Amino acid sequence: MNYLDQLEQQSVYILREAFRHFERLCMLWSIGKDSTVLLWLARKAFFGHVPFPLVHIDTSYKLPEMIAYRDRLAMEYRLTMVVGQDEEAIRAGRTFPATQHLPDGHPDKLSRVDCCGILKRDTLKATLQGTRPRKRLNLDTGKYEPDADLLPYHGVIVGARADEEGSRSKERYFSPRDKNNAWDVGDQPPEFWNQFKTDFAPGTHVRIHPLLDWTEVNIWEYIKRENIPTVSLYYDQGTGTRYRSLGCGPCQAPIQSTARNVDEILVELRSGKLKDVAERSGRLQDGKHGLEELRREGYM
Amino acid sequence: MSTTATTAGADNQVAAVGGGADAAATGGSTAPGRTQMQIVVVGHVDHGKSTVVGRLLADTNSLPQGKLEAVRRECERTGKPFEYAFLLDALSDEQDQGITIDTARCFFKTASRDYIIIDAPGHIEFLKNMISGAARAEAAALIIDAKEGVRENSRRHGYILSMLGIRQVVVCVNKMDLVGHDEGHFNRIETEYRAFLQGIGAVSPKQFIPVSAISGDNLSIRSAKMDWYQGPTLLETLDGFAKAPGKSEASFRMPVQAVYKFTNAGDDRRIIAGRIEAGRVKVGDKVIFSPSNKSTTVKSIEGFNIAPRTEIDAGWSTGFTLSEEIYVTRGELMSHAGRAPQVSTRLRANVIWLGRRPFVQGRDYKLKLHTVATSVRIHKLLKVIDASEIDGQLGKDHVGRHDVADVVLETRNPVAFDLIGDSEATGRFVIVDGYDVAGGGIITAAESDEQDDLRAEARRRDFNWVKGAVSAAERAEQQGHRAALVMFVGKSGTGKHRYARALEKALFDQQRSVYMLDGSNVLLGVDQDLVWVDANQAELVRRFGEVAHLLLDAGLLVVSTTNAIGLGDFGAVQALIPHAPSLVIEVDPGGASTQSCDLRIRGTESEADVIAQIVDLLTKRQILAAAAPQNAR
Ligand SMILES: Nc1nc2c(ncn2[C@@H]2O[C@H](COP(=O)(O)OP(=O)(O)O)[C@@H](O)[C@H]2O)c(=O)[nH]1
């Protein structure tokens, strides 16, 4: 059993525990490489099936390739695909791109971070709690329809990795949050011997992190080994650029790289030009505060 | 940098190829052929953990390019004396800015393998985090300040490492420069600390090393100042630690995590899923499940996007189909027949308590042991110890926060387990108080309970049972229900018999295969040889249980009352029928009973009402109607 096997098997164990303990369970799928690996691991855990909904927060600014890829996989894998969106804010133009023409200092002008707060964080919260209508993909017609289910989710599987954030000793595979999504870092329950936090007070919900022990390199190694389909945006298609992490079009700059496939990405990460560069450096809204939580939730 | 360095440890450094952030950037991706080991560094606060770690990173060239110089320059600029511990802070600042890599887990490499250092805070406030971190480690370095000597958390951490099952522990007696590099001083600390661990029943460390983390003496380079020490350096010791031997050669153990039947897309596999915690199993092997004693053979090994296989071993989260569709549930332990686990309601354990509220007698807690979750109480509190004191025995009647205790626990239902020395993953547990994990423990002995003999009889019987041509699943399919025992308990004259008869009739009218087993009839026939002698109550109960077992094996719903056998003996009957679900219906006119039961009635309810409630329970438990498909969770 090699190291990648060990990571995989632990993740599978965690996914099965999550499925066992949460009636109202969903998995966040950002379409990026991490949550796509997570989706693959779910198929491993449940022998080809994915027995819970996948939730995607669509800001309407996602690169079109991402949406096409999402729906193609959802149809192919027969996923319960649920999408949340703040249609209201998008229609009213309460976004970063739609307020760019306004002069600086104008009260309606929104920063990139403000925009993330509305289209991602708040929408995610409302979608998980069921306070905003969700849409669900009809696998017969390939069209999204209003989702009849409006109950909140109590268990949320996310693709956060320890190597992209704070101390691993403070994070848990099963991490309880209170009503306001707050995370009490200082006072977390102990977690050892694979016995996870599966009892919780009404009103709390639990974030489940099956990828906590994985690194960016592990993710690509696994994509290669399992031959997992990924969005073409990760690869140089002849322009000399590619995306290292995926987000919204207006806030995501590609990096200079000629890596055309997984092998070349791995070479770049292991020894080449990227080894000292942060993974999210192409994200224009990073380095600012206020988005940590979103990040931790695996949503950026 | 140390001027006392010799080259003894130099070959430890050569493999830190590329220097710079290489070790960190590729952290967790070990080159083919190289092994990886997770280690934890623990000890009393200020004894030098961060300095040791900073030094190891620096000496193995595992820091990002220029980091060491930058931190030195920064110290000069601000007039602070340089500390190796600052390296960790500097790394974690970078982390916060999202620039590099993983500081929560530092990586370094030696010639022989890659190491991941798990962050485990030393402060007592963070004991929960220390345990959460250390539990993942394969080896540990415990740091003791030579000048301060053995302190509370030196002791406590030593005990916890032992309890967590970390057998490869090295003790660094640090700051030897402050005690004149004195051999006698070092020896006294070693003697004192070994004696403490021995006294508390903890495993003794593999190696004690006198070190000076500040100058790197005996960490990666041999110290010239302590030539009286002939043993290995810290890096040599770590490199000498064996990877935990694979558990594949041990007795096969797989706790059932779930039984899946995902019916979409025409999938009709019924898969027993779980992680193999020890041993190996092959297609065609006869396997048993404890505590239900059910047995069958492995038909296939299932997986997604893997090559077909006929054998699988420890570490894999896998799934099996079985040649016979037996009804097993989460929490059962799958094994080979000749090497079955222990089964009991009582287990002796060493427990460490982390909860804010103390662990007390007379209260119910939840025990989580492999995939079992069941109600548990303290049966006997043998000893409460403060693991930070030399002679820490406390005369307490409860287990306080951070105390450890030697206890006998009693579970509501029998559970399958192993002793910690026989199989780690099935020999340890956590205890949940309210919503939180509040303690952990290792099982040191199986204690006998009143049902031991009967349980042993049932196991002997079941493991050798000659099966007929019709399986339990086939019977269930045809009848539309599984076998089960519905037992009415309560004082005499409360109407147990009346309800039991009404239930039999009602189930019969619903086309169920049901039989009323009246204990008096067993006395009249099976027990004839006993009733005229001075009747041996235990033997009467045993015979009743064996008769019930035969009827259940025939696939029947058996309805009975405790009239003839006496209330206290129902546990004995249950021990003889571990494979069949039983419902206990207590008739309690006073309404004051605290007995555990599945349904409590007053005896004034209408028969129809009681029957409806029981049918409801039987349906919920998937005894009625739900013959084959189980809850997929
Ligand atoms: N004299 C001396 N001081 C040391 C040595 N190792 C660590 N220290 C000092 O002990 C203090 C505590 O060390 P630190 O690594 O922060 O301890 P931690 O709390 O266990 O991480 C720091 O001021 C270190 O400089 C040593 O070998 N000799």
Side-chain angles (χ1 to χ4, degrees), chain B residues 42-53 82-85 88 122 143 145 174-178 211-216:
Chain B
V42 298
H44 199 78
V45 72
D46 275 346
H47 282 200
K49 291 180 300 297
S50 318
T51 310
V52 167
V53 173
F82 170 80
E83 291 260 1
Y84 275 94
L88 299 188
I143 316 297
D145 186 321
N174 185 30
K175 309 193 193 180
M176 286 300 293
D177 52 305
L178 298 183
V211 308
S212 214
I214 284 206
S215 53

Side-chain angles (χ1 to χ4, degrees), chain A residues 9 19 187 194 197 199 278, chain B residues 98 128 275 317 366 436 633:
Chain A
Q9 295 302 305
F19 181 55
D187 186 27
N194 283 315
K197 163 101 180 159
D199 302 273
Chain B
K128 285 187 301 186
R275 172 157 63 193
S317 288
K366 189 200 264 188
D436 282 327
R633 275 168 209 276

Side-chain angles (χ1 to χ4, degrees), chain B residues 145-455:
Chain B
D145 186 321
K147 187 128 182 271
E148 277 209 20
V150 178
R151 295 288 306 273
E152 302 95 88
N153 283 324
S154 321
R155 299 194 190 95
R156 194 177 267 128
H157 287 176
Y159 178 81
I160 289 172
L161 291 176
S162 166
M163 166 145 181
L164 289 174
I166 301 168
R167 296 285 167 267
Q168 316 203 80
V169 179
V170 49
V171 174
C172 293
V173 178
N174 185 30
K175 309 193 193 180
M176 286 300 293
D177 52 305
L178 298 183
V179 296
H181 299 104
D182 178 50
E183 181 179 10
H185 195 97
F186 169 77
N187 287 339
R188 277 191 297 282
I189 288 183
E190 170 165 359
T191 309
E192 175 191 340
Y193 195 58
R194 282 200 195 273
F196 162 75
L197 289 177
Q198 196 182 6
I200 202 165
V203 176
S204 211
K206 296 247 186 227
Q207 183 73 43
F208 279 70
I209 311 176
V211 308
S212 214
I214 284 206
S215 53
D217 283 57
N218 283 342
L219 293 184
S220 63
I221 39 179
R222 186 164 296 280
S223 169
K225 292 184 186 135
M226 294 180 275
D227 52 7
W228 46 265
Y229 173 76
Q230 300 298 323
T233 62
L234 176 58
L235 277 192
E236 286 163 355
T237 307
L238 292 176
D239 278 350
F241 282 162
K243 284 294 285 182
K247 300 199 170 77
S248 307
E249 303 318 314
S251 299
F252 168 59
R253 293 287 184 268
M254 189 189 85
V256 175
Q257 194 177 7
V259 180
Y260 295 131
K261 185 144 187 176
F262 300 111
T263 45
N264 49 335
D267 191 346
D268 62 357
R269 291 173 298 175
R270 184 168 169 279
I271 299 174
I272 313 294
R275 172 157 63 193
I276 302 179
E277 299 291 2
R280 65 177 73 240
V281 68
K282 294 192 296 295
V283 169
D285 280 3
K286 181 175 178 195
V287 288
I288 57 153
F289 293 83
S290 300
S292 78
N293 294 353
K294 291 186 182 165
S295 65
T296 181
T297 56
V298 174
K299 185 166 147 203
S300 68
I301 296 168
E302 298 293 327
F304 169 75
N305 203 36
I306 55 162
R309 55 196 305 173
T310 55
E311 181 175 331
I312 191 157
D313 63 353
W316 293 95
S317 288
T318 183
F320 303 103
T321 65
L322 304 174
S323 50
E324 184 190 326
E325 295 234 328
I326 55 173
Y327 188 93
V328 289
T329 52
R330 181 180 164 100
E332 295 212 45
L333 198 47
M334 186 176 173
S335 72
H336 285 125
R339 299 160 88 183
Q342 314 260 359
V343 174
S344 181
T345 58
R346 288 198 195 133
L347 27 110
R348 181 161 176 185
N350 290 341
V351 170
I352 178 152
W353 196 249
L354 304 165
R356 281 211 189 82
R357 287 190 299 185
F359 186 34
V360 296
Q361 286 171 283
R363 259 191 63 191
D364 284 328
Y365 297 87
K366 189 200 264 188
L367 178 87
K368 289 170 89 177
L369 162 71
H370 55 86
T371 57
V372 176
T374 183
S375 184
V376 72
R377 281 172 179 234
I378 297 179
H379 177 66
K380 247 190 244 154
L381 191 53
L382 301 171
K383 194 157 70 171
V384 185
I385 301 161
D386 179 347
S388 72
E389 297 292 333
I390 294 171
D391 190 7
Q393 187 151 341
L394 306 165
K396 289 192 197 170
D397 64 349
H398 65 268
V399 189
R401 193 174 199 198
H402 301 151
D403 287 346
V404 301
D406 182 4
V407 293
V408 178
L409 298 176
E410 182 163 65
T411 56
R412 179 168 298 163
N413 303 308
V415 291
F417 61 90
D418 288 291
L419 306 190
I420 188 73
D422 296 338
S423 174
E424 240 174 27
T426 47
R428 59 198 185 186
F429 56 83
V430 300
I431 294 171
V432 178
D433 182 12
Y435 299 119
D436 282 327
V437 170
I442 54 177
I443 304 172
T444 53
E447 296 277 307
S448 50
D449 61 17
E450 290 74 13
Q451 268 38 288
D452 262 6
D453 293 344
L454 294 177
R455 206 175 291 123

Side-chain angles (χ1 to χ4, degrees), chain B residues 499-510 512 514-517 557 559 611:
Chain B
Y499 284 120
R501 283 174 57 94
L503 179 64
E504 182 192 27
K505 185 76 173 80
L507 288 171
F508 181 80
D509 289 345
Q510 295 175 18
R512 311 295 186 179
V514 58
Y515 179 74
M516 163 92 181
L517 172 64
L557 290 166
V559 179
I611 287 163

